[in-house]
Amino acid sequence: MTLRLVERLNAVRHQNFVGRESECELFRSAIAAPVLPFSVLHLSGMGGIGKTMLVRQFAQICRSLNIPTTYLDGRTVEASPQAFLKALNSIESTRQVLFIDSYERLLPIETWLREDFLPQLPEQTLIVLSSR
């Protein structure tokens, strides 16, 4: 079977990932639970501390459990509800994880996200926010 470059890169990243066992176990147990114990997991820290790498590790955990994921990067999405929804495509009603990296870049629409968008997501959706 021929692997795509992204699959090879993900495999190497996964192999070289060290530490953060407690965070990975918290995430794994949350998405494997029959009912999500929480709806939002917020990762925060200084730039360069490894938030994006941890998000990638969480996505790898999802792949291993066949849980669909959606990844949005606040650095590449215009901070408007219309652009956010366009970048999102669709959300399913099955267990899934929505990763929003560089969430601080979306502060202009934070109220809309918090009060309008996120509450409308299916209850089986776990939202992971990563920000400085």
Side-chain angles (χ1 to χ4, degrees), residues 26-38:
L26 170 72
F27 181 79
R28 184 179 284 107
S29 65
I31 61 170
V35 175
L36 289 172
F38 48 85

Side-chain angles (χ1 to χ4, degrees), residues 76-122:
T76 60
V77 176
E78 179 187 329
S80 74
Q82 298 80 11
F84 185 88
L85 291 172
K86 183 178 179 183
L88 186 62
N89 290 327
S90 67
I91 292 287
E92 302 171 16
S93 60
T94 59
R95 174 68 52 100
Q96 64 189 315
V97 179
L98 170 59
F99 295 104
I100 304 175
D101 203 358
S102 298
Y103 180 71
E104 72 276 2
R105 300 283 183 104
L106 299 173
L107 287 181
I109 61 169
E110 181 182 27
T111 300
W112 172 80
L113 283 167
R114 190 180 61 249
E115 295 178 6
D116 297 323
F117 175 73
L118 295 178
Q120 299 303 315
L121 292 176

